[in-house]
Amino acid sequence: MGKENWYSMEFRQAKVTKIVKETSDIYSIQMEIPEGYTWRAGQYAIWQLQDYVAPEGEKEDRVFTIASAMEDHFLMFSTRIADQHSWFKDILLRQLEAGDTILVSAPLGEMDIDMEGKERSLLIAGGIGVTPIRSLLRHYSSNNVPMHKIQLLYADNRGEFAYGDFWKQIEGKMPNVKLQLLTDSNVFAEKARNYAVSHGNEAEYLIAGSPGMNQAFKESLTEAGVSGGNMKTDEFFGYE
């Protein structure tokens, strides 16, 4: 769906239940699931702040991946709020509180792990791009395919990783998942390339990060012999 059609979409009311500070500047907004609202792990949605009017020149909505899965029994998105940020994120940081309402569109997009068609997957996540990975692994922790080998490379150059307790839960529930937390961008790129050289097109590759990061990894994997059909990227409009 193109952006020109966003404003014709129906939005649902989601009541905020909790705001979690994941790292020094990453916040998760948890909400009740609106009645009848469903989504698939890995999808994203458009979010609007009810009762707030965007200043002139500012967008009234943002696109964030749905960071939770249906199995969580709550709706959640996470976002990084830097020192310089938009009015939308300023509301999230300074004014939003439990009991407030956020408007959410129907879920959009498609990003999934091919548990049946492939024997292994490499998940490549940079910074706040880890949100769809969190959703997918939460879903599959309840619907696991134990023979499918998953390696997750999650990098943050500041060494601040969101969802700390969640990764421990995944390691306990999904022994087929190997998680590596990385702080060096060169090591990050090298590990992904080495994996591609070893497994080639026998694996699939999910890439979730900034547009620049996504493009760099696609080029590196292509050079290592991976076909485009075996790569999936999260578009991550939230970087715009």
Side-chain angles (χ1 to χ4, degrees):
M1 175 178 290
K3 291 184 180 180
E4 65 277 5
N5 296 319
W6 285 1
Y7 297 102
S8 65
M9 297 183 66
E10 178 184 358
F11 283 77
R12 309 283 291 278
Q13 293 183 331
K15 183 181 291 187
V16 175
T17 57
K18 185 188 298 185
I19 301 172
V20 178
K21 189 174 184 179
E22 304 281 0
T23 70
S24 65
D25 60 3
I26 292 177
Y27 296 81
S28 291
I29 315 299
Q30 291 187 15
M31 293 149 280
E32 295 177 357
I33 301 174
E35 184 176 356
Y37 189 87
T38 61
W39 70 95
R40 296 186 304 277
Q43 290 191 293
Y44 62 89
I46 307 162
W47 310 83
Q48 294 180 351
L49 297 172
Q50 183 165 288
D51 302 325
Y52 293 94
V53 178
E56 185 175 354
E58 291 269 12
K59 295 187 295 183
E60 68 177 19
D61 53 34
R62 290 294 185 275
V63 180
F64 298 120
T65 299
I66 302 174
S68 54
M70 289 293 297
E71 291 81 0
D72 283 310
H73 304 295
F74 58 79
L75 188 60
M76 181 175 79
F77 69 83
S78 302
T79 185
R80 171 165 279 154
I81 305 179
D83 290 340
Q84 298 295 320
H85 51 259
S86 66
W87 80 275
F88 190 103
K89 292 188 176 183
D90 196 65
I91 298 296
L92 298 182
L93 179 64
R94 303 182 190 281
Q95 299 187 48
L96 194 73
E97 56 187 26
D100 289 348
T101 299
I102 291 180
L103 303 178
V104 59
S105 76
L108 300 164
E110 182 73 39
M111 190 177 193
D112 201 356
I113 299 172
D114 187 357
M115 286 289 201
E116 303 297 337
K118 294 287 185 180
E119 293 184 355
R120 62 180 68 241
S121 300
L122 178 65
L123 315 182
I124 303 169
I128 192 61
V130 77
T131 51
I133 306 304
R134 191 254 179 231
S135 176
L136 287 166
L137 290 182
R138 174 62 185 93
H139 170 66
Y140 284 111
S141 69
S142 297
N143 304 273
N144 195 19
V145 179
M147 298 302 294
H148 188 95
K149 299 178 177 63
I150 298 173
Q151 183 162 342
L152 169 58
L153 303 178
Y154 173 20
D156 188 291
N157 59 13
R158 302 177 306 169
E160 294 189 287
F161 301 96
Y163 317 127
D165 291 339
F166 172 77
W167 304 121
K168 297 175 185 177
Q169 295 169 13
I170 291 298
E171 288 177 337
K173 291 182 177 180
M174 299 181 71
N176 52 315
V177 174
K178 179 181 179 182
L179 167 65
Q180 291 184 277
L181 304 178
L182 306 168
T183 58
D184 187 306
S185 59
N186 292 324
V187 173
F188 185 32
E190 181 181 11
K191 285 184 176 293
R193 182 176 178 82
N194 289 344
Y195 185 100
V197 170
S198 296
H199 301 294
N201 290 302
E202 295 179 359
E204 67 165 350
Y205 302 81
L206 277 66
I207 311 168
S210 68
M213 191 205 93
N214 289 355
Q215 184 60 34
F217 274 99
K218 286 171 66 176
E219 292 175 0
S220 176
L221 295 175
T222 299
E223 291 173 0
V226 177
S227 67
N230 286 322
M231 299 182 218
K232 302 173 184 175
T233 58
D234 182 32
E235 294 298 331
F236 216 76
F237 294 111
Y239 272 97
E240 295 181 356

Coordinates of all heavy atoms in Angstrom, one line a residue, residues 159-221:
G159 N 26.6 -0.9 22.5 CA 26.5 -2.0 23.4 C 25.2 -1.9 24.3 O 25.2 -2.5 25.3
E160 N 24.2 -1.3 23.7 CA 22.9 -1.2 24.4 C 21.9 -2.0 23.6 O 21.6 -1.7 22.5 CB 22.4 0.2 24.6 CG 23.3 1.1 25.5 CD 22.6 2.4 25.8 OE1 22.6 3.3 24.9 OE2 22.2 2.6 26.9
F161 N 21.4 -3.1 24.2 CA 20.5 -4.0 23.5 C 19.2 -4.1 24.2 O 19.0 -4.3 25.4 CB 21.2 -5.4 23.5 CG 22.5 -5.5 22.8 CD1 23.7 -5.4 23.6 CD2 22.6 -5.5 21.5 CE1 24.9 -5.4 23.0 CE2 23.9 -5.5 20.9 CZ 25.0 -5.4 21.6
A162 N 18.1 -3.8 23.4 CA 16.8 -3.9 23.9 C 16.3 -5.3 24.2 O 16.9 -6.3 23.6 CB 15.8 -3.2 22.8
Y163 N 15.3 -5.4 25.0 CA 14.6 -6.7 25.3 C 15.6 -7.7 26.0 O 15.5 -8.9 25.7 CB 14.0 -7.3 24.1 CG 13.3 -6.4 23.1 CD1 13.7 -6.3 21.8 CD2 12.3 -5.5 23.6 CE1 13.0 -5.5 20.9 CE2 11.7 -4.7 22.7 CZ 12.0 -4.6 21.4 OH 11.4 -3.8 20.5
G164 N 16.4 -7.2 27.0 CA 17.4 -8.1 27.6 C 16.8 -9.4 28.1 O 17.3 -10.5 27.8
D165 N 15.7 -9.4 28.9 CA 15.2 -10.6 29.5 C 14.6 -11.5 28.4 O 14.5 -12.7 28.6 CB 14.1 -10.2 30.6 CG 14.7 -9.6 31.8 OD1 15.9 -9.8 32.0 OD2 14.0 -8.9 32.5
F166 N 14.1 -10.9 27.4 CA 13.4 -11.6 26.3 C 14.4 -12.6 25.7 O 14.0 -13.7 25.4 CB 12.8 -10.7 25.3 CG 12.3 -11.3 24.0 CD1 11.1 -12.0 24.0 CD2 13.1 -11.4 22.8 CE1 10.6 -12.6 22.9 CE2 12.6 -12.0 21.7 CZ 11.3 -12.6 21.7
W167 N 15.6 -12.2 25.4 CA 16.6 -13.0 24.8 C 16.9 -14.2 25.7 O 17.1 -15.4 25.1 CB 17.9 -12.3 24.4 CG 17.6 -11.0 23.6 CD1 17.9 -9.8 23.9 CD2 17.0 -11.0 22.3 NE1 17.5 -8.9 22.9 CE2 16.9 -9.6 21.9 CE3 16.4 -12.0 21.5 CZ2 16.4 -9.2 20.7 CZ3 15.9 -11.6 20.3 CH2 15.9 -10.2 19.9
K168 N 16.9 -14.1 27.0 CA 17.1 -15.2 27.9 C 16.0 -16.2 27.8 O 16.2 -17.4 27.8 CB 17.3 -14.7 29.3 CG 18.5 -13.8 29.5 CD 18.5 -13.2 30.9 CE 19.6 -12.2 31.1 NZ 19.6 -11.6 32.5
Q169 N 14.8 -15.7 27.6 CA 13.6 -16.6 27.5 C 13.7 -17.4 26.2 O 13.4 -18.6 26.1 CB 12.3 -15.8 27.5 CG 12.1 -15.1 28.8 CD 10.9 -14.1 28.8 OE1 10.2 -14.0 27.8 NE2 10.8 -13.2 29.8
I170 N 14.1 -16.7 25.1 CA 14.2 -17.4 23.8 C 15.3 -18.5 23.9 O 15.1 -19.6 23.3 CB 14.6 -16.3 22.7 CG1 13.4 -15.4 22.4 CG2 15.0 -17.1 21.4 CD1 12.1 -16.1 22.0
E171 N 16.4 -18.2 24.5 CA 17.4 -19.2 24.6 C 16.9 -20.4 25.3 O 17.3 -21.6 25.0 CB 18.7 -18.6 25.3 CG 19.4 -17.6 24.5 CD 20.6 -17.0 25.2 OE1 20.6 -17.0 26.4 OE2 21.5 -16.5 24.5
G172 N 16.1 -20.2 26.3 CA 15.5 -21.3 27.1 C 14.5 -22.1 26.3 O 14.4 -23.3 26.4
K173 N 13.7 -21.4 25.5 CA 12.6 -22.1 24.8 C 13.0 -22.6 23.4 O 12.3 -23.5 22.9 CB 11.4 -21.1 24.6 CG 10.7 -20.7 25.9 CD 9.5 -19.7 25.6 CE 8.8 -19.4 26.8 NZ 7.6 -18.5 26.6
M174 N 14.0 -22.0 22.8 CA 14.4 -22.3 21.4 C 15.9 -22.6 21.3 O 16.7 -21.8 20.9 CB 14.0 -21.1 20.5 CG 12.5 -20.8 20.4 SD 12.2 -19.4 19.2 CE 12.4 -20.2 17.7
P175 N 16.2 -23.9 21.7 CA 17.7 -24.2 21.6 C 18.2 -24.2 20.2 O 19.4 -24.2 20.0 CB 17.7 -25.7 22.2 CG 16.3 -26.2 22.0 CD 15.4 -24.9 22.2
N176 N 17.3 -24.1 19.2 CA 17.8 -24.0 17.8 C 18.2 -22.6 17.4 O 18.6 -22.4 16.2 CB 16.7 -24.5 16.8 CG 15.3 -23.9 17.0 OD1 14.9 -23.8 18.2 ND2 14.7 -23.5 16.0
V177 N 18.1 -21.6 18.3 CA 18.4 -20.3 18.0 C 19.8 -20.0 18.7 O 20.0 -20.2 19.9 CB 17.4 -19.3 18.6 CG1 17.8 -17.8 18.4 CG2 16.0 -19.5 17.9
K178 N 20.7 -19.4 17.9 CA 22.0 -19.0 18.4 C 22.0 -17.5 18.3 O 21.9 -16.9 17.2 CB 23.1 -19.6 17.5 CG 24.5 -19.1 18.0 CD 25.6 -19.8 17.1 CE 27.0 -19.3 17.6 NZ 28.0 -19.8 16.7
L179 N 22.2 -16.8 19.4 CA 22.2 -15.3 19.4 C 23.6 -14.8 19.7 O 24.3 -15.3 20.6 CB 21.2 -14.9 20.6 CG 21.3 -13.4 21.0 CD1 20.9 -12.5 19.9 CD2 20.5 -13.1 22.3
Q180 N 23.9 -13.8 18.9 CA 25.2 -13.1 19.1 C 24.9 -11.6 19.2 O 24.4 -11.0 18.3 CB 26.2 -13.4 18.0 CG 26.7 -14.8 18.0 CD 27.8 -15.1 17.0 OE1 27.4 -15.3 15.8 NE2 29.0 -15.0 17.4
L181 N 25.3 -11.0 20.3 CA 25.2 -9.5 20.5 C 26.5 -8.9 20.2 O 27.6 -9.3 20.7 CB 24.8 -9.2 21.9 CG 23.5 -9.9 22.4 CD1 23.3 -9.5 23.9 CD2 22.3 -9.5 21.6
L182 N 26.6 -8.0 19.2 CA 27.8 -7.4 18.7 C 27.8 -5.9 18.8 O 26.8 -5.2 18.7 CB 27.9 -7.8 17.2 CG 27.8 -9.3 16.9 CD1 27.6 -9.5 15.4 CD2 29.0 -10.1 17.4
T183 N 29.0 -5.4 19.0 CA 29.2 -3.9 19.1 C 30.1 -3.4 18.0 O 30.2 -2.2 17.8 CB 29.8 -3.6 20.5 OG1 31.1 -4.2 20.7 CG2 28.9 -4.0 21.6
D184 N 30.9 -4.2 17.3 CA 31.8 -3.8 16.3 C 31.2 -4.0 14.9 O 30.9 -5.2 14.6 CB 33.1 -4.6 16.4 CG 34.2 -4.1 15.5 OD1 34.0 -4.0 14.3 OD2 35.3 -3.9 16.0
S185 N 31.0 -3.0 14.2 CA 30.4 -3.0 12.9 C 31.1 -3.9 11.9 O 30.5 -4.6 11.0 CB 30.2 -1.6 12.3 OG 31.4 -1.0 12.1
N186 N 32.5 -3.9 12.0 CA 33.3 -4.8 11.1 C 33.1 -6.2 11.4 O 33.0 -7.1 10.5 CB 34.7 -4.4 11.2 CG 35.1 -3.0 10.7 OD1 34.5 -2.6 9.7 ND2 36.0 -2.3 11.3
V187 N 33.0 -6.6 12.7 CA 32.8 -8.0 13.1 C 31.4 -8.4 12.6 O 31.1 -9.5 12.2 CB 32.9 -8.1 14.6 CG1 32.5 -9.5 15.1 CG2 34.4 -7.9 15.0
F188 N 30.4 -7.5 12.8 CA 29.0 -7.7 12.4 C 29.0 -8.1 10.9 O 28.4 -9.1 10.5 CB 28.3 -6.4 12.6 CG 26.8 -6.4 12.4 CD1 26.0 -7.6 12.6 CD2 26.1 -5.2 12.0 CE1 24.6 -7.6 12.4 CE2 24.8 -5.2 11.8 CZ 24.0 -6.4 12.0
A189 N 29.6 -7.3 10.1 CA 29.6 -7.5 8.6 C 30.4 -8.8 8.3 O 29.9 -9.6 7.4 CB 30.2 -6.3 7.9
E190 N 31.5 -9.0 9.0 CA 32.3 -10.2 8.7 C 31.5 -11.5 9.0 O 31.6 -12.5 8.3 CB 33.6 -10.2 9.5 CG 34.5 -11.3 9.2 CD 35.8 -11.3 10.1 OE1 35.9 -10.4 11.0 OE2 36.7 -12.1 9.8
K191 N 30.8 -11.5 10.2 CA 30.1 -12.7 10.6 C 29.0 -13.0 9.6 O 28.7 -14.2 9.2 CB 29.5 -12.6 12.0 CG 30.6 -12.7 13.1 CD 30.0 -12.6 14.4 CE 31.1 -12.9 15.5 NZ 31.6 -14.3 15.5
A192 N 28.3 -12.0 9.1 CA 27.2 -12.2 8.1 C 27.8 -12.8 6.8 O 27.3 -13.7 6.2 CB 26.5 -10.9 7.9
R193 N 28.9 -12.2 6.4 CA 29.5 -12.7 5.1 C 30.0 -14.1 5.3 O 29.8 -14.9 4.4 CB 30.7 -11.7 4.7 CG 31.3 -12.1 3.4 CD 32.4 -11.2 3.0 NE 33.0 -11.6 1.8 CZ 32.6 -11.4 0.5 NH1 31.4 -10.8 0.4 NH2 33.2 -11.9 -0.5
N194 N 30.7 -14.4 6.4 CA 31.2 -15.8 6.6 C 30.0 -16.8 6.6 O 30.2 -17.9 6.1 CB 32.0 -15.9 7.9 CG 33.3 -15.1 7.8 OD1 33.8 -14.8 6.8 ND2 33.9 -14.9 9.0
Y195 N 28.9 -16.4 7.2 CA 27.7 -17.3 7.2 C 27.3 -17.5 5.7 O 27.0 -18.7 5.4 CB 26.6 -16.7 8.0 CG 25.4 -17.5 8.2 CD1 25.2 -18.2 9.4 CD2 24.4 -17.6 7.2 CE1 24.1 -19.0 9.6 CE2 23.3 -18.4 7.4 CZ 23.1 -19.1 8.6 OH 22.0 -19.9 8.7
A196 N 27.2 -16.5 5.0 CA 26.8 -16.6 3.6 C 27.7 -17.5 2.8 O 27.3 -18.3 1.9 CB 26.7 -15.2 2.9
V197 N 29.0 -17.3 3.0 CA 30.0 -18.1 2.3 C 29.8 -19.6 2.6 O 29.9 -20.5 1.8 CB 31.4 -17.7 2.6 CG1 32.5 -18.6 2.1 CG2 31.7 -16.3 2.0
S198 N 29.5 -19.9 3.9 CA 29.4 -21.2 4.4 C 28.1 -21.9 3.9 O 28.1 -23.1 3.6 CB 29.4 -21.3 5.9 OG 30.7 -20.9 6.4
H199 N 27.0 -21.1 3.9 CA 25.7 -21.7 3.7 C 25.0 -21.3 2.4 O 24.1 -21.9 2.0 CB 24.8 -21.4 4.9 CG 25.3 -21.9 6.2 ND1 25.4 -23.3 6.5 CD2 25.7 -21.3 7.3 CE1 25.9 -23.4 7.7 NE2 26.1 -22.2 8.2
G200 N 25.5 -20.2 1.8 CA 24.9 -19.7 0.5 C 23.4 -19.7 0.4 O 22.7 -19.3 1.4
N201 N 22.9 -20.2 -0.7 CA 21.5 -20.2 -0.9 C 20.7 -21.3 -0.2 O 19.5 -21.5 -0.4 CB 21.2 -20.2 -2.4 CG 21.6 -18.9 -3.0 OD1 21.1 -17.8 -2.6 ND2 22.5 -18.9 -4.0
E202 N 21.4 -22.1 0.6 CA 20.7 -23.1 1.4 C 20.0 -22.5 2.6 O 19.1 -23.1 3.2 CB 21.7 -24.2 1.9 CG 22.3 -25.0 0.8 CD 23.3 -26.1 1.4 OE1 23.5 -26.1 2.6 OE2 23.8 -26.8 0.6
A203 N 20.4 -21.2 2.9 CA 19.8 -20.5 4.0 C 19.0 -19.3 3.4 O 19.1 -18.9 2.2 CB 20.9 -19.9 4.9
E204 N 18.2 -18.7 4.3 CA 17.5 -17.4 4.0 C 18.1 -16.4 4.9 O 18.6 -16.7 5.9 CB 16.0 -17.5 4.1 CG 15.6 -17.7 5.6 CD 14.1 -17.4 5.8 OE1 13.4 -16.9 4.9 OE2 13.6 -17.7 6.9
Y205 N 18.0 -15.1 4.5 CA 18.6 -14.0 5.2 C 17.6 -12.9 5.4 O 17.0 -12.3 4.4 CB 19.8 -13.5 4.3 CG 20.8 -14.6 4.1 CD1 20.6 -15.5 3.0 CD2 21.9 -14.7 4.8 CE1 21.5 -16.5 2.7 CE2 22.9 -15.7 4.6 CZ 22.7 -16.6 3.5 OH 23.6 -17.6 3.3
L206 N 17.3 -12.6 6.7 CA 16.4 -11.5 7.0 C 17.2 -10.4 7.5 O 18.0 -10.5 8.5 CB 15.4 -12.0 8.1 CG 14.1 -12.7 7.6 CD1 14.5 -14.1 7.0 CD2 13.1 -12.9 8.8
I207 N 17.1 -9.2 6.9 CA 17.9 -8.0 7.3 C 17.0 -6.9 7.8 O 16.0 -6.5 7.1 CB 18.6 -7.5 6.0 CG1 19.4 -8.7 5.3 CG2 19.6 -6.4 6.4 CD1 19.9 -8.3 4.0
A208 N 17.2 -6.4 9.0 CA 16.3 -5.4 9.6 C 17.2 -4.3 10.2 O 17.8 -4.5 11.3 CB 15.4 -6.1 10.6
G209 N 17.2 -3.1 9.6 CA 17.9 -2.0 10.1 C 17.6 -0.8 9.3 O 16.6 -0.7 8.7
S210 N 18.5 0.2 9.4 CA 18.3 1.4 8.6 C 18.4 1.1 7.1 O 19.0 0.1 6.7 CB 19.4 2.4 9.0 OG 20.7 2.0 8.5
P211 N 17.9 2.0 6.3 CA 18.0 1.7 4.8 C 19.4 1.5 4.4 O 19.7 0.7 3.5 CB 17.3 3.0 4.2 CG 16.3 3.4 5.2 CD 17.0 3.1 6.6
G212 N 20.3 2.3 4.9 CA 21.7 2.2 4.5 C 22.3 0.9 5.0 O 23.1 0.3 4.2
M213 N 22.0 0.4 6.2 CA 22.5 -0.9 6.6 C 21.9 -2.0 5.8 O 22.6 -2.9 5.4 CB 22.1 -1.1 8.1 CG 22.8 -2.3 8.7 SD 21.9 -3.0 10.2 CE 20.9 -4.3 9.3
N214 N 20.6 -1.9 5.5 CA 20.0 -3.0 4.7 C 20.7 -3.1 3.3 O 21.0 -4.2 2.9 CB 18.5 -2.7 4.5 CG 17.7 -2.8 5.8 OD1 18.2 -3.3 6.8 ND2 16.4 -2.5 5.7
Q215 N 20.9 -2.0 2.7 CA 21.5 -2.0 1.4 C 22.9 -2.5 1.4 O 23.3 -3.3 0.5 CB 21.5 -0.5 0.8 CG 22.1 -0.5 -0.6 CD 21.3 -1.3 -1.6 OE1 20.0 -1.4 -1.5 NE2 21.9 -1.8 -2.6
A216 N 23.7 -2.1 2.4 CA 25.1 -2.6 2.5 C 25.1 -4.1 2.7 O 26.0 -4.8 2.1 CB 25.8 -1.9 3.7
F217 N 24.3 -4.7 3.5 CA 24.2 -6.1 3.7 C 23.7 -6.8 2.5 O 24.2 -7.9 2.1 CB 23.4 -6.5 4.9 CG 24.2 -6.5 6.2 CD1 24.1 -5.4 7.1 CD2 25.0 -7.5 6.6 CE1 24.9 -5.3 8.2 CE2 25.8 -7.5 7.7 CZ 25.7 -6.4 8.6
K218 N 22.8 -6.3 1.8 CA 22.3 -6.9 0.5 C 23.4 -7.0 -0.5 O 23.6 -8.0 -1.1 CB 21.1 -6.1 0.0 CG 19.8 -6.3 0.7 CD 18.7 -5.4 0.3 CE 18.3 -5.6 -1.1 NZ 17.2 -4.7 -1.5
E219 N 24.2 -5.9 -0.6 CA 25.3 -5.9 -1.5 C 26.4 -6.9 -1.1 O 26.9 -7.7 -1.9 CB 25.9 -4.5 -1.6 CG 25.0 -3.5 -2.3 CD 25.5 -2.1 -2.2 OE1 26.7 -1.9 -1.7 OE2 24.9 -1.2 -2.8
S220 N 26.7 -7.0 0.2 CA 27.7 -7.9 0.7 C 27.3 -9.4 0.5 O 28.1 -10.2 0.1 CB 28.0 -7.7 2.2 OG 28.9 -8.6 2.7
L221 N 26.0 -9.7 0.8 CA 25.5 -11.0 0.6 C 25.5 -11.4 -0.9 O 25.7 -12.6 -1.2 CB 24.1 -11.2 1.2 CG 24.1 -11.0 2.8 CD1 22.6 -11.0 3.2 CD2 24.9 -12.1 3.5

